[in-house]
Structure formats: structure tokens, C-alpha cells
């Protein structure tokens, strides 16, 4: 069986529970497993004789089992297993007297005790790694790592001085001959024969092999309650063995050679070993070659050599089975550069592809609708707005499609810029579509635009098209679009249906672009009958650092609106500890005073129902791992699922957190946190408070039908229900000028950019405004530090930069940004800015010489995979 990166684990791993546990981490294929990178690597374990032990300091040694006993713990139930080990031979090699120590194991399970008893029979040679302590005057190792050594192996003492020097230098190799045990026989007595019928398996063939394995640095993976880091590591090593690896990554960068440690062949209990692939059937050299063939390099050979990087196969091996921490770091740098190179090549190809497409030219005309519109505005445009409108006008005049990203703070005037662009397209005799993520926002846009253009001559038709329209109105809107008459169409996702046709479509404006999957956006490109590609203007109020924007949107021209129109007052942000009842009470009294003054208040919760089964056990936060980036659109936001992959509809509707920050312990396992607050629960609790007696509440979630959402927002804006308890469905586009207060529960679990977006819902009418961030974060924790950033800053760019640094490169935009699973796992957009710039320069040189990558088949495939997985975050393909 030929194993590739696309081979499914279900066809290789015999333990179906492990397959399921790995799937919960987003690991489905061999490629998923090899790119499930450890978050840290342990330091090499030093060799020490028992007499050299220091309590509390990790150590490893070789010894022999002298005796073993199992003691029932009647008072506490369960069993205690004690084994005495003697390191006389090993200690002699270190020129110290031999000694004994106790190995102690506790368990409630008799089956586990029986298994350990069978392994630690008197006379068995073992290698022990653990943390020593002292108990009743004797040195003790509690639950150490034990590797049993097959009887008849080479001695435990010979050559150990050389091994100690090699381990200290970080390479784990013996300094003497290739096999320092070859001339020595074991001084230990042979282990007793295995019980009749027992299939006793030894962990290592030689003491050398066992010492090498326990002393080497070990990767630690984000794990879960279903699978440990050790089992993840075991599975990945088994896969590497199946793909041809027989020896570990060696310090000199070779896949095989003297001093490298053998990768142990997986058992049939773990991996379905194929016929003819037994451990003895493949040499190290042919195994190395086989691994290189199974995992071909992606980077061009010239780039790899110029940057002194590892082969891709060697990098995977050095990450998952590192000979030293230096090798591990070098491998990470190799794959980090690979991500930078593939992403930049993808972006450059997309940019080149866009310029080769045809588009309708929309030049400015005399006395244009655009100029009439700007002259009719009751305010003056900011300098930033004028510059962006000018840039867009120049782009629209070309006969190739514009592709521009417009980023601006909430309230910076992006809608005015977009309308100016649409009017330029209409003036040229074409149609323009503005796509909004929600019906509420689409209706607001249609109303605002209709009001702004009603005085223009000739009259501009503005057509609203949403999924919640009645059939007759929808048919009328579809007919207006299909007529090809010049005008503006404001639509929700309904614009992506097969029934929508706009034959003279010249411009597509996408508001809050990360709310749409790429397949939806690309469907608009196919709506023209003449083979042209519409111009594209993507708008977002989500603050994106410039370095990130240049990396992820490298094939878009990028414009920033940094000036805010006058009249908006800064929002006062207060972080409130939920356990502080007095402060919570004063906050609610303040909100009541603002409501009595005719203002409105939002109360935001991340969940809809308190009893959502999908979100128990971690409260909607994946019980898997941070590296599993499964999210789905939820209430105008996105949600992480416990499955680590695509969310179910129920889970998507139930969670409004953009990207919950997970907390891991030192072993990579998720730390349980209190359940997230729910809309229904908080609405019920608040209405019972004395501060809100006589006040009507409303609730709004992503599960509500569009007509219900519209009515709820109308009642809220009109003051009938002045307090709205909702999910993050109000995050985008909701504009109620009377809203002056927003309370965000579980604020410590949100991304900074999302908190900034939510905070922007208040203060839009020029009144004083407040944002209260309710937190259960521990003092001094990273969650508390994140909230301090929001507390002290109103600068979206500064907040986005901090968000990027807290989260890492692959998380800031979220998978919904691309409509797929992010391929960026290692690249750090801020810290690796120089690497990204270097990769872009080299990618430009490569594409100049070979535009179609005909000579780089593997790179071309990686670019295609990246584009499909990330869709380059835009509509080009």
C-alpha cells in the first residue's frame, strides 16, 4: 500500500477510538497528522546513576529489576506496585558505586497493575526516566517512564561515558564506535521466562536504543481528554515509519547515519503494518529514500539551498522525532519559510491572473452622478475618503477588474466611498451589487442609499433583494436585476442563488467580507453573460494590522480610512469582574439611568441556550486543541466546535464567540473553564433585578427568522424595548443612534478585534457612551492582559496588532474569512515580516522565469492546495 499525505488515518490506524479522538483534533489524513505540530519540545534528559540523583531533577539510567511486589491499599482501595532496581553496571560505567532505588506505581485498575507486573519481572533489564524523590529514607521514582530491554541484548554499562558526552552535546549519539555494546555482554541475569501463553513484547532491542529514546528531546502536542500527547506522538512516529523512516533526524541533517536512533516499528495494535514492511526488511538508507519519495519537497531546490533549509521530509522528522532542540527549531524555521513562500506565490499568481481577465471599463463622465452625489452631501469628505474615491475611480476606468480592500473603523465613512464607486459604474451604463451579511444590514443599506440618491438626475433605481422577502416582492427584485437596467442592487446571500441574474454587472461591493464563503463570492463573478469579471471592492471594519493585510491580502490593492467624522465621542470602556457584586450593581443602576434618559443598551452573551449540548464540557470551547481550527458562521460571527472541524448548524447558532482562546496546561491538555453565559439565562436574570423593574427586554439571536429580527430591531430603536439581550448578531452593521451602553458577558473569551467591533455599536449618535466588559479571568492571566488592551485603547490598528500577537498568525481572521481551513499554522505575520518579504521577492523571481510553475510541480500543487484551502481570502482563483 502506497501511503501519501492524503491517505486517511482510518485506513491505517487500527484503533478506531484513536481515529475518532484524532478526528476531534482535526486530524483525518496523514498530512493532517504530520502538520499537527507540537507546541513545545522537552529538553534532553541527562544520564545519571542513582547515587548522582538530585530530588526534583529529571534523570535517566539503565538498571535491572531485583524484586517486585504488589500491595493492596485496603484503606484507599486500589493497588501499589513497588519494584526495586539496581544500577550496578550502569553506575560502574560512570565511575560511581552502584545503588538501588524504588519504582512506585498506583492504580485502581487491576488490569493495569497486572500489565506493569508482567513487564517488571525480576531480572528484566530496563531503562528508567523520571523525577526522583525521597520516601522513608529511600530514593523513589513515582510513575517513571519505563522501557524494557529484550534479554540477550548488549550490556548496559559499556560505552556509557561516550553516550553521556553525546547526550550532553545534544545529539544523543554515542561518541565511541557505532555500536559500543557490541563487545560487551550483559551483566544482568536473564529475565524469567514469560508465563505460558503470554506474548511479552519488549520496548527496545538494546539498552543503547532505549537510552537514546528516553534521553532525546520529546515533542509535546496539544491534547485532549480523549487522547494524550504521548499517543499522538506514537501515532505520528508510526506513520513516519510506514512512509519509510527508519531512523530519526540526526544532527548533521541526514535522514540516516551513525549515531541516529531507530524509529520503532509500530505494532499491529496501532498501525496496520503491511506485508513486506516489517522492521527487518528495510535498511536505514532505503528507508530515508522512501520517506523523501513519500514526502516530496515543496520548495524549489535553488531556494532551499540558498536559505540553507532542510528537505521537507527531514523537517517533519526533525519536528516529530528531534535529535536536539536545535534540530527542532531548524525544522520549524524550514516549514515556516515554506508557508511564507507558498502563500506569497499564491498571492502573486492570483494578482497576475486578475490582470489577465477582462472587465467593463467605467470611466468618469462630465457632470457624473458620482460628483452630483458628493456635492449633495451635508458634510465634507475627509481627506482619506477623497483619496480612496480617487483611487477607485482610476481602477474602475481600467478594462481589467479592480480588486481592492477597503479597511476602515466603524463610522469612518466606508458606505459613502462604496456608493461613489457604484454610481460611477451606473453612470457607465452598468449594474452594481452591494452584498451585506445580514438582512437587517441590507435593509439599512437600501434605505440609506435610496435616501442619498433620491435627488440625483437621472433617477437611480435601488433594488433590495433578501432571502426573507415575500415571493411577489422577491420575483419583482429578481426581474429588475435580470433586466440589465443600470442601477444599484442591495442584497444578502440571496444574491448567490441560481435564480439571481445581473447580465450587466460591472461592480461588486462586499461589506464585511469575512462573513461570506469564497464559493458564494465567486458565484457573482459568473453572473455576467459577456465573459467579463466584475470589479471588486471588499470592505471590512475588522481591524487588520498592516503586516497581516500585506500578507493575507497581497493580491489586493489596500486602502485604509483612518479618520473618523467629527462629532463622535470616545467610548468609555470598563472591565468588571463578575464576582464583584457591588460594581455589577452600580453598572446596572447606571444602565437604568441611561434608559430613563431615553437611551438604549445592548447586553451581549456568547450562547443562545444554557443547555446547548454541543457546548458542554468546555462551554463551547473545543475540548480538543487549539491547533484544530474548526469554525463556522454563527449569528453573524463564527464558532469553534468540539469536533475541531466544521460546526453543525445548531452549534453555529449557539455560539457567538469569534475565536475562543483556549487554555492549556504544560502537557498541552485543555483546561476546563466555566460555562459561557446564554441569552435566555441572562435575560431572565436581569429582568428580575430591582434596577430593571418596569423595563421591557427583547432578545435577538441568529436562530430568529429575518422578519422577527427586523421587528425586534425596530422595537429596540423605537424605545419600546430599550434593552436588547443578544448574541453577537449585532456585531456588524446594526446602527441605533440612541444606543449608549453595551455590556459584554464572558468578554475574556472573545478575540480583541471582535470586542472592538461590538464596542463600536454604541456612541453612534454623538452621545456619551460606555462599554462594560464582564470577565471571569484570573488575576494576572493572559485573558486579563488582553482585556487591558481594550480597556486602554480605542485604536483599531493597535488592538488588531495586539490580537495578532496574542493569537498567532493563523487565527486572527478566522477560517470563515477564507471559507476554508487555514493553511497558515506556523507563520507569524508580525515576527516573520522579514521572512515574508524575502519569500515574496524570491517568489517574484521564480514566477518571472516560470509563470505557470511548469518546472516546480510540487510547488504548483501546494499553491493550488493553499488557494483551495484559503481561497487567497478573495474572489480570484
Amino acid at each position: 500500500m502506497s501511503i501519501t499525505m492524503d491517505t486517511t488515518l482510518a485506513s491505517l490506524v487500527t484503533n478506531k477510538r484513536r481515529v475518532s479522538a484524532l478526528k476531534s483534533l482535526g486530524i483525518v489524513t496523514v498530512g493532517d497528522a504530520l502538520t499537527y505540530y507540537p507546541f513545545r519540545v522537552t529538553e534532553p534528559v541527562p544520564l545519571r546513576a542513582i547515587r548522582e540523583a538530585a530530588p526534583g531533577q529529571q534523570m535517566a539510567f539503565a538498571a535491572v529489576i531485583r524484586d517486585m511486589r504488589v500491595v493492596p491499599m485496603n484503606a484507599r482501595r486500589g493497588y501499589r506496585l513497588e519494584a526495586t532496581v539496581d544500577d550496578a553496571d550502569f553506575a560502574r560505567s560512570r565511575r560511581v558505586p552502584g545503588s538501588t532505588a524504588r519504582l512506585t506505581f498506583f492504580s485502581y485498575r487491576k488490569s493495569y497493575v497486572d500489565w506493569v507486573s508482567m513487564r517488571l519481572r525480576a531480572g528484566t533489564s530496563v531503562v528508567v526516566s523520571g523525577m526522583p524523590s525521597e520516601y522513608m529514607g529511600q530514593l523513589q521514582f513515582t510513575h517513571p517512564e519505563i522501557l524494557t530491554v529484550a534479554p540477550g541484548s548488549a550490556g548496559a554499562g559499556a560505552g556509557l561515558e561516550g553516550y553521556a558526552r553525546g547526550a550532553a552535546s545534544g545529539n544523543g549519539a554515542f561518541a565511541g564506535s557505532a555500536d559500543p555494546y557490541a563487545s560487551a555482554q550483559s551483566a544482568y541475569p536473564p529475565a524469567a521466562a514469560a508465563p505460558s501463553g503470554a506474548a511479552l513484547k519488549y520496548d527496545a532491542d538494546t539498552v543503547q536504543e532505549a537510552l537514546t529514546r528516553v534521553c532525546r528531546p520529546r515533542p509535546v502536542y496539544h491534547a485532549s481528554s480523549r487522547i494524550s500527547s504521548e499517543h499522538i506522538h506514537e501515532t505520528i512516529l508510526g506513520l513516519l515509519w510506514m512512509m519509510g523512516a527508519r531512523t530519526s533526524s540526526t544532527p548533521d541533517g541526514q535522514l540516516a547515519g551513525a549515531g541516529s536512533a531507530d524509529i520503532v516499528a509500530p505494532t499491529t495494535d496501532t498501525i496496520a503494518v503491511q506485508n513486506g514492511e516489517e522492521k527487518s526488511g528495510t535498511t536505514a538508507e532505503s528507508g530515508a529514500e522512501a520517506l523523501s519519495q513519500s514526502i516530496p519537497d515543496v520548495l524549489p531546490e535553488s531556494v532551499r539551498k540558498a536559505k540553507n533549509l532542510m528537505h521537507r521530509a527531514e523537517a517533519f522528522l526533525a519536528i516529530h522525532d528531534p535529535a536536539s532542540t536545535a534540530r527542532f527549531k531548524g525544522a520549524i524555521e524550514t516549514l515556516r519559510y515554506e508557508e511564507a513562500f507558498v502563500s506569497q506565490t499564491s498571492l502573486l499568481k492570483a494578482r497576475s491572473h486578475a490582470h489577465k481577465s477582462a472587465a467593463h471599463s467605467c470611466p468618469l463622465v462630465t457632470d457624473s452622478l458620482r460628483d452630483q452625489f458628493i456635492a449633495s452631501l451635508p458634510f465634507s469628505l475627509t481627506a482619506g475618503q477623497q483619496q480612496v474615491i480617487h483611487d477607485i475611480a482610476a481602477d474602475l476606468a481600467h478594462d481589467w477588474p479592480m480588486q481592492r480592500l477597503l479597511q476602515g473603523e466603524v463610522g469612518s465613512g466606508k458606505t459613502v466611498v462604496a456608493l461613489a464607486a457604484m454610481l460611477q459604474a451606473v453612470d457607465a451604463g452598468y449594474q452594481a451589487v452591494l452584498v451585506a451579511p445580514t438582512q437587517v444590514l441590507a435593509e439599512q443599506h437600501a434605505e440609506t442609499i435610496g435616501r442619498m440618491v433620491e435627488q440625483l438626475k437621472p433617477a437611480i433605481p435601488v433594488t433590495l433583494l433578501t432571502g426573507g422577502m415575500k415571493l411577489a416582492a422577491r420575483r419583482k427584485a429578481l426581474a429588475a436585476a435580470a433586466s440589465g437596467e443600470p442601477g444599484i442592487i442591495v442584497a444578502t446571500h440571496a444574491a448567490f442563488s441560481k435564480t439571481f441574474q445581473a447580465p450587466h454587472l460591472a461592480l461588486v461591493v462586499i461589506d464585511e467580507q469575512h462573513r461570506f464563503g469564497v464559493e458564494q463570492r465567486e458565484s457573482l463573478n459568473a453572473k455576467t453573460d459577456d465573459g467579463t469579471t466584475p470589479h471588486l471592492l471588499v470592505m471590512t471594519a475588522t481591524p487588520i494590522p498592516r503586516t497581516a493585510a500585506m500578507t493575507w491580502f497581497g493580491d489586493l490593492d489596500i486602502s485604509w480610512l483612518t479618520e473618523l467624522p467629527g462629532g463622535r465621542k470616545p467610548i468609555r470602556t470598563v472591565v468588571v469582574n463578575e464576582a464583584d457584586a457591588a460594581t455589577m450593581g452600580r453598572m446596572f443602576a447606571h444602565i437604568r439611568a441611561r434608559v430613563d434618559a431615553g437611551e438604549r443598551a445592548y447586553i451581549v452573551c456568547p450562547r443562545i441556550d444554557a443547555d446547548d449540548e454541543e457546548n458542554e464540557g468546555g462551554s463551547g470551547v473545543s475540548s480538543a486543541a487549539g491547533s484544530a481550527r474548526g469554525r463556522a458562521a454563527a449569528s453573524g460571527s463564527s464558532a469553534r466546535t468540539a469536533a475541531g472541524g466544521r460546526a453543525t448548524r445548531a452549534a453555529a447558532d449557539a455560539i457567538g464567540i469569534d475565536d475562543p482562546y483556549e487554555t492549556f496546561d504544560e502537557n498541552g491538555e485543555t483546561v476546563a473553564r466555566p460555562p459561557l453565559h446564554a441569552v435566555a439565562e441572562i435575560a431572565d436574570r436581569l429582568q428580575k433585578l430591582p434596577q430593571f423593574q418596569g423595563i421591557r427586554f427583547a432578545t435577538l439571536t441568529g436562530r430568529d427568522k429575518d422578519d422577527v429580527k427586523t421587528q425586534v430591531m425596530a422595537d429596540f430603536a423605537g424605545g419600546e424595548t430599550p434593552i436588547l439581550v443578544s448574541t453577537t448578531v449585532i456585531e456588524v452593521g446594526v446602527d441605533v443612534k440612541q444606543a449608549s451602553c453595551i455590556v459584554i458577558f464572558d468578554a475574556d473569551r472573545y478575540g480583541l478585534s471582535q470586542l472592538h467591533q461590538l464596542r463600536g455599536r454604541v456612541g453612534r449618535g454623538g452621545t456619551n457612551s460606555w462599554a462594560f466588559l464582564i470577565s471571569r479571568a484570573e488575576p494576572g492571566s493572559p485573558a486579563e492582559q488582553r482585556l487591558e488592551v481594550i480597556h486602554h485603547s480605542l485604536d483599531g490598528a493597535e488592538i488588531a496588532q495586539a490580537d495578532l500577537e496574542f493569537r498567532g498568525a493563523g487565527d486572527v481572521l478566522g477560517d470563515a474569512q477564507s471559507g476554508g481551513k487555514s493553511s497558515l499554522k506556523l507563520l507569524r505575520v508580525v515576527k516573520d515580516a522579514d521572512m515574508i518579504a524575502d519569500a515574496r521577492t524570491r517568489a517574484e523571481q521564480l514566477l518571472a522565469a516560470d509563470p505557470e510553475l511548469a518546472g516546480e510541480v510540487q510547488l504548483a500543487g501546494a499553491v493550488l492546495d493553499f488557494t483551495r484551502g484559503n481561497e487567497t481570502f478573495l474572489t480570484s482563483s
Side-chain angles (χ1 to χ4, degrees), residues 321-376:
D321 190 31
S324 67
T325 53
R327 289 292 292 162
F328 176 84
K329 292 175 182 176
I332 291 291
E333 285 302 296
T334 291
L335 294 176
R336 188 170 280 151
Y337 190 89
E338 179 188 288
E339 287 188 1
F341 194 87
V342 170
S343 63
Q344 292 308 303
T345 304
S346 300
L347 293 171
L348 290 169
K349 278 183 65 67
R351 190 179 188 92
S352 173
H353 174 79
H355 283 197
K356 292 177 183 176
S357 302
H360 292 297
S361 175
C362 303
L364 274 175
V365 297
T366 306
D367 192 27
S368 66
L369 289 170
R370 190 202 75 168
D371 293 342
Q372 288 183 47
F373 162 64
I374 293 173
S376 70

Side-chain angles (χ1 to χ4, degrees), residues 448-463:
T448 302
I449 290 172
R451 199 166 54 243
M452 286 180 163
V453 302
E454 62 185 359
Q455 303 299 326
L456 302 183
K457 302 295 182 183
I460 308 299
V462 178
T463 304

Side-chain angles (χ1 to χ4, degrees), residues 3 9 11-15 18 22 234-243 264-274 277:
I3 300 176
L9 294 189
S11 65
L12 298 175
V13 179
T14 55
N15 186 328
R18 184 172 295 190
L22 290 168
E234 176 187 70
T235 303
I236 293 174
L237 287 184
L239 295 172
L240 286 169
W241 191 93
M242 288 289 289
M243 298 179 82
V264 179
T267 67
T268 52
D269 295 337
T270 306
I271 300 287
V273 181
Q274 305 300 310
E277 291 184 347

Side-chain angles (χ1 to χ4, degrees), residues 345-425:
T345 304
S346 300
L347 293 171
L348 290 169
K349 278 183 65 67
R351 190 179 188 92
S352 173
H353 174 79
H355 283 197
K356 292 177 183 176
S357 302
H360 292 297
S361 175
C362 303
L364 274 175
V365 297
T366 306
D367 192 27
S368 66
L369 289 170
R370 190 202 75 168
D371 293 342
Q372 288 183 47
F373 162 64
I374 293 173
S376 70
L377 291 172
F379 53 84
S380 298
L381 296 178
T382 66
Q385 286 175 312
Q386 294 177 28
Q387 181 61 51
V388 175
I389 288 173
H390 174 77
D391 292 342
I392 291 174
D395 289 346
L396 292 176
H398 294 145
D399 58 2
W400 65 80
M402 168 184 75
Q403 291 194 309
R404 183 172 291 276
L405 170 69
L406 175 58
Q407 179 182 332
E409 290 276 358
V410 172
S412 60
K414 296 187 298 297
T415 304
V416 170
V417 172
L419 183 51
M422 290 190 287
L423 289 173
Q424 184 172 336

Side-chain angles (χ1 to χ4, degrees), residues 230-357:
E230 283 294 325
H231 283 158
I232 295 170
H233 188 214
E234 176 187 70
T235 303
I236 293 174
L237 287 184
L239 295 172
L240 286 169
W241 191 93
M242 288 289 289
M243 298 179 82
R246 295 298 183 266
T247 56
S248 59
S249 167
T250 57
D252 58 4
Q254 303 302 313
L255 282 172
S260 58
D262 288 342
I263 293 180
V264 179
T267 67
T268 52
D269 295 337
T270 306
I271 300 287
V273 181
Q274 305 300 310
N275 292 333
E277 291 184 347
E278 285 76 16
K279 185 177 180 182
S280 59
T282 309
T283 66
E285 288 74 13
S286 63
E289 184 180 342
L291 186 63
S292 299
Q293 291 173 354
S294 299
I295 308 175
D297 215 347
V298 168
L299 289 174
E301 185 71 8
S302 58
V303 173
R304 187 170 71 84
K305 288 184 175 179
K307 297 294 294 181
N308 194 28
L309 302 173
M310 300 179 191
H311 187 283
R312 193 176 200 223
E314 172 66 6
F316 281 136
L317 203 51
I319 284 175
H320 297 297
D321 190 31
S324 67
T325 53
R327 289 292 292 162
F328 176 84
K329 292 175 182 176
I332 291 291
E333 285 302 296
T334 291
L335 294 176
R336 188 170 280 151
Y337 190 89
E338 179 188 288
E339 287 188 1
F341 194 87
V342 170
S343 63
Q344 292 308 303
T345 304
S346 300
L347 293 171
L348 290 169
K349 278 183 65 67
R351 190 179 188 92
S352 173
H353 174 79
H355 283 197
K356 292 177 183 176
S357 302

